[in-house]
Amino acid sequence: MEVAQQMGSPGVSKWDIRHKIWDYMEANNLADFPRPVHHRIPNFKARKALLVPTPRLRTGLFNRIIPPPGATKEMLRKCATSQGVRDYSVPVGLDAKVHVDLVVVGSVAVSEKGCRIGKGEGFADLEYAMMVSMGAVREDTVVVTAVHDCQVVDIPEDLLGDHDLTVDYILTPTRIIKTGCRHPKPQGILWHKISHEMLGKIPVLKNLRHREKQEGKDVALKDEQRDVPAAGKPVRVAKKSRPESSSFQDQASLSQASPEGGASPDSSPLPDTPVSVYVGSIPQGTRVGELKVALRQCQATPARLIWQGAQHRAFLNYDDKATADAAVVALQGLSLHGSPLRVELARNQLSKTGSRPR
C-alpha cells in the first residue's frame, strides 16, 4: 500500500505520519462521524458495551454508560458521543474495584509491531498510566486498537518514548494482527512529565498524585525542583538515578545551599571556569547525535557534552558563564521527537561523573 510504504523512511516524525493518514482517509472518505478527521482519532462502529474515559479527563477517569430503558437507535448513537457520556453515564471512582480485561484504544496510525501514534495530545497514554496507578490494569491486560487498513504503516521504533502506549492486537476490516510487541507499556504515571498546568486541568490526576505521595513515591512534577536541601545542609549523591532531574545537584559529590535555597556564594564559577548547562526530559530512544545536530542548528555547540541518555538528560560544558547563558536562551523551546526539552544552568559544576564525554 502506497501510504504504508511512505512511513518507514528515515527522518519521519510522528506528525508526518499523522497528517499522511488523515489526508488519505479524508481523500478516500474512509472514516465515520465526526468529520473532518484531522486532529481526531478516526471513528469506527464497535457495537460493544464499553467503560469509557471521561472526555479529556475533566471530571474523572471512568464512566459507565447506562442507556435509558427502551432506548432508540438514535439515542444509542448519542450515548457513544461526549454528550452521551454526560447525559447517560455514572462515574466510576478511583477506589472502585475495577478490573479491566481489555483496553480498546484509538489510533491515528499503528505498525504491525505494535507501535501506536495517537492524535498528539497524550490522553490515551495518560489514561492507561492512570489505570495502572489505580490497579485497574495489569501487565498482562490486552490492548487492542481498531483501525482502517490504510492506518497500518511502518513506524520507526525510535519514535516511541517511555510514556507511549503500545498495542497487542490490531483489528482492521480485513485482518486481525497479533503484534507480539515487546516495547514495555507505561508502568504508571510519569510525574516528571506532568506539569502544574496539566494537573490543574485534570482533577483526578491531583487525587492520584496525593495517593502516590502518601505511599512514599516520587511525585515531583516537570516544572518543580526535586529534593531541594534545607539551608546549610549538604546535598548527598543520589544512589539511584531518576529518569530526569530539574537540577544538577545529584551530579555533585558535595555542595552547600544558601539561605535563599540556591548555590552558596563560594560555589559560583570563576570567570575562566567552564559552566554547565542541564538538558532534561530527553525522550527515550534519542541518540546523542540527534542532540548534537539540534545544538548545532541552534548555534549552541558546547565545548564538551556529557551524555546520560539512560537518565534522559545531558550536560553541556561552555567556556564561560556568558556563553552558557546565551546557550540557555538559544535552546529555549527546543524539542526532540516532539517532546520539549528542559534547559537551564546547572546548579553546580561538574566534578566527577561516570559518564563519558561525547
Side-chain angles (χ1 to χ4, degrees):
M1 183 176 243
E2 183 179 355
V3 68
Q5 293 171 349
Q6 297 173 353
M7 299 302 175
S9 58
V12 68
S13 71
K14 287 184 176 181
W15 278 107
D16 292 332
I17 296 174
R18 288 184 183 106
H19 282 290
K20 286 184 183 295
I21 293 292
W22 285 327
D23 291 344
Y24 184 89
M25 297 191 81
E26 276 299 315
N28 292 274
N29 195 31
L30 296 175
D32 203 350
F33 175 85
R35 299 283 291 278
V37 75
H38 290 83
H39 302 283
R40 301 180 187 275
I41 297 296
N43 275 348
F44 294 88
K45 292 181 175 65
R47 299 187 181 183
K48 298 292 181 182
L50 301 176
L51 195 65
V52 298
T54 303
R56 306 186 73 82
L57 300 174
R58 290 189 186 97
T59 59
L61 178 54
F62 284 136
N63 286 270
R64 190 186 305 276
I65 294 179
I66 304 177
T72 63
K73 184 176 181 180
E74 182 62 32
M75 193 172 291
L76 291 175
R77 186 178 292 112
K78 183 180 179 182
C79 286
T81 67
S82 57
Q83 182 65 44
V85 174
R86 288 191 289 268
D87 295 345
Y88 302 110
S89 71
V90 294
V92 177
L94 295 178
D95 294 323
K97 302 300 180 182
V98 175
H99 174 63
V100 178
D101 296 307
L102 178 71
V103 174
V104 181
V105 62
S107 303
V108 171
V110 66
S111 76
E112 292 190 4
K113 294 182 179 180
C115 300
R116 170 194 169 272
I117 294 178
K119 60 183 177 180
E121 295 182 342
F123 280 107
D125 307 309
L126 182 57
E127 288 159 4
Y128 184 88
M130 292 167 73
M131 286 190 282
V132 172
S133 180
M134 66 180 289
V137 298
R138 299 188 303 241
E139 191 173 341
D140 59 351
T141 301
V142 175
V143 179
V144 174
T145 191
V147 297
H148 191 275
D149 287 283
C150 77
Q151 294 173 260
V152 183
V153 299
D154 292 329
I155 298 176
E157 293 187 38
D158 61 3
L159 290 183
L160 268 63
D162 51 0
H163 64 283
D164 284 318
L165 178 61
T166 55
V167 302
D168 302 301
Y169 289 90
I170 305 168
L171 278 62
T172 81
T174 65
R175 294 191 290 169
I176 297 177
I177 303 169
K178 183 176 181 180
T179 68
C181 185
R182 296 186 178 181
H183 189 280
K185 295 182 176 65
Q187 299 301 301
I189 300 171
L190 302 178
W191 294 107
H192 65 276
K193 293 190 175 184
I194 303 294
S195 66
H196 276 96
E197 181 182 5
M198 184 182 297
L199 201 68
K201 292 179 179 179
I202 306 177
V204 68
L205 206 53
K206 289 184 180 180
N207 296 335
L208 283 172
R209 185 178 184 233
H210 176 73
R211 286 167 49 146
E212 293 200 5
K213 187 175 183 179
Q214 295 296 106
E215 294 169 3
K217 296 182 180 179
D218 181 3
V219 295
L221 302 181
K222 179 179 180 179
D223 44 7
E224 69 181 16
Q225 281 189 334
R226 286 180 166 81
D227 301 329
V228 177
K233 293 187 178 181
V235 181
R236 299 185 181 278
V237 178
K239 294 183 178 180
K240 185 175 181 181
S241 297
R242 296 187 180 89
E244 79 169 87
S245 173
S246 61
S247 72
F248 193 45
Q249 57 194 22
D250 62 344
Q251 292 297 310
S253 58
L254 188 66
S255 68
Q256 291 292 118
S258 70
E260 291 77 25
S264 60
D266 59 0
S267 68
S268 300
L270 296 173
D272 296 327
T273 302
V275 177
S276 294
V277 171
Y278 167 83
V279 180
S281 301
I282 297 176
Q284 181 175 339
T286 300
R287 299 182 179 91
V288 64
E290 294 175 290
L291 178 59
K292 288 182 176 180
V293 170
L295 295 174
R296 284 197 297 270
Q297 292 174 342
C298 294
Q299 299 183 345
T301 301
R304 185 168 179 257
L305 188 155
I306 304 299
W307 176 253
Q308 297 182 341
Q311 286 77 42
H312 308 281
R313 65 192 178 196
F315 297 93
L316 316 178
N317 277 10
Y318 294 93
D319 292 334
D320 51 54
K321 189 172 185 301
T323 307
D325 287 338
V328 171
V329 172
L331 296 175
Q332 291 305 308
L334 178 63
S335 296
L336 289 176
H337 299 303
S339 298
L341 303 184
R342 183 178 181 86
V343 181
E344 61 186 28
L345 283 178
R347 288 175 65 93
N348 303 298
Q349 296 310 298
L350 186 62
S351 53
K352 290 184 178 181
T353 177
S355 301
R356 55 190 178 95
R358 301 295 182 110

